[in-house]
Amino acid sequence: MDYAKAFAQALLALKAEGRYRVFADICRDCGRFPTAQHYAADRSRPITVWCSNDYLGMGQHPAVLTAMHAALDLAGAGSGGTRNISGTSHYHVELERELANLHGKDAALLFTSAYVANDTTLATLQKLLPGCVIFSDEKNHASMIAGIRNGGGQKRIWRNNDLADLEDKLRQCERTVPKIIAFESVYSMDGQMSPIGAVCDLAERYGALTYLDEVHAVGLYGPTGGGLAERDNVMHRVNIINGTLAKGFGIMGGYIAADRDVCDAIRSYAPGFIFTTSLAPAIAAGAVASIRHLRSSAAERDRLQDRVRCLKQRLAVAGLPVMHNPSHIVPIPVGDPVLTKHITDALLDRFAIYVQPINYPTVPRGTERLRLTPTPYHGDADIDRLVMALTTLWTEMGLPLEGHVQAAE
């Protein structure tokens, strides 16, 4: 077996399809978000970041940084191990209490990422509920798909946000069979929102548990940042909520929030929790500070929505093909991986604007796109420059501009 040749051919196949990923070497400028330094050819230059999932800029908030510095000085750098052996600290306990309160649940359980939380929890639930059937929205994140697959049980895929299709599939399953409906609140690549309350109606009607991924909504929606379920006043009806500390809250890590016995069972049975070193105390402390700030401050959420409205309107007026949705995510379809990368390379090289191309397997082939994420700290001048750059590139590359159209919602 020529191992080196196998790896080389695999990489060549990606490059031939135009979806080989190149990571930009950047360093964010603390206190100047969304500005960063881009390192290339032994030099650096300032760029504006338009693809960060630090949606509210909380990764550089003074309260967060202060809390992290204090925890680092008090507890040191690492956690000391897995939670089961030596890696549970007061910072972890405090953070889990904060998350449980945020979502109105009895308990919460921390993981090193929301990916691990989804993968581990969905797989373990199938072990705890023998014969369980999972009803998975077709646009669920890769971490949910992995967890469902790794659990080894039966699954039914229902069309994105299609309640009739979901009910039809639920109806075909015996009521006595354990069921879990797994879906997201905000779908990260299209920016569409799910009808959480209506899904809960079906879950109650057919005896299913609900598992809701709020990764792209926590911190951003609801009076205290509890997510779309809080905004829609249905948080109490969702059985298990998955969330992240790495997007709206600006740090890192993931979690679930649910009834105490659910969290305790996952804690006790899930290999992805049991055998993983816990989050560093400083990270947990920063997350607590971020959550507490956003629970009491709506200023960041309000400013974000203003920036989203402004960007969508400016792009639509310029004739750029914005995918309409009600969320803070602004996708611009291109439909070709090579062309998408040409556009993002030109944005960075010529205009000092950083946007990563989105291609397969993140989105289906033929739906490649730019994914813009405005933040409260993108000013009018930043938006003007982005729209000018995109309009220039669309014209140069012969892509159609739609002329004046009604602005996106």
Side-chain angles (χ1 to χ4, degrees), residues 131-339:
C132 176
V133 178
I134 296 189
F135 297 81
S136 176
D137 188 287
E138 66 177 348
K139 291 193 175 181
N140 277 342
H141 189 262
S143 58
M144 301 175 77
I145 295 169
I148 293 167
R149 181 185 298 118
N150 291 337
Q154 296 185 59
K155 63 179 183 294
R156 304 285 187 272
I157 310 300
W158 52 288
R159 290 189 294 271
N160 179 235
N161 284 347
D162 189 329
L163 296 172
D165 188 46
L166 172 58
E167 182 166 21
D168 181 60
K169 289 177 169 56
L170 286 166
R171 191 183 294 115
Q172 296 173 30
C173 193
E174 292 289 339
R175 185 173 179 84
T176 56
V177 171
K179 309 172 192 68
I180 299 172
I181 302 174
F183 63 115
E184 300 184 39
S185 61
V186 177
Y187 290 90
S188 62
M189 292 299 128
D190 295 341
Q192 297 296 339
M193 294 178 169
S194 65
I196 302 172
V199 173
C200 290
D201 290 341
L202 290 176
E204 292 165 6
R205 187 177 308 159
Y206 291 95
L209 291 176
T210 46
Y211 184 100
L212 177 65
D213 181 314
E214 286 261 44
V215 160
H216 292 273
V218 289
L220 304 172
Y221 299 95
T224 67
L228 207 63
E230 184 191 32
R231 189 201 70 174
D232 294 348
N233 197 31
V234 293
M235 199 160 53
H236 61 289
R237 300 180 65 194
V238 178
N239 299 111
I240 304 170
I241 292 175
N242 167 275
T244 186
L245 305 169
K247 294 180 172 62
F249 297 125
I251 319 294
M252 72 167 292
Y255 62 90
I256 60 167
D259 289 346
R260 191 170 307 281
D261 283 352
V262 172
C263 290
D264 200 12
I266 300 300
R267 179 188 71 87
S268 301
Y269 281 90
F273 176 85
I274 294 170
F275 298 104
T276 300
T277 297
S278 60
L279 292 172
I283 291 173
V288 168
S290 183
I291 295 166
R292 287 177 178 171
H293 175 81
L294 290 174
R295 291 189 75 177
S296 63
S297 172
E300 291 82 4
R301 288 188 286 276
D302 292 344
R303 174 66 175 171
L304 171 65
Q305 293 303 322
D306 173 79
R307 297 291 80 195
V308 170
R309 285 190 295 270
C310 181
L311 176 61
K312 287 182 176 180
Q313 181 179 43
R314 289 294 314 281
L315 291 168
V317 168
L320 290 155
V322 184
M323 293 173 63
H324 291 221
N325 65 58
S327 77
H328 60 284
I329 295 164
V330 186
I332 299 180
V334 179
D336 178 86
V338 175
L339 188 55

Side-chain angles (χ1 to χ4, degrees), residues 90 143 259 371 375:
H90 180 67
S143 58
D259 289 346
R371 178 182 178 273
T375 74

Side-chain angles (χ1 to χ4, degrees), residues 90-101 108 110 245 252 255 279 283-289 291-292:
H90 180 67
Y91 293 100
H92 299 113
V93 174
E94 187 177 33
L95 177 53
E96 286 174 340
R97 287 173 181 165
E98 195 71 33
L99 289 166
N101 289 334
L110 283 173
L245 305 169
M252 72 167 292
Y255 62 90
L279 292 172
I283 291 173
V288 168
I291 295 166
R292 287 177 178 171

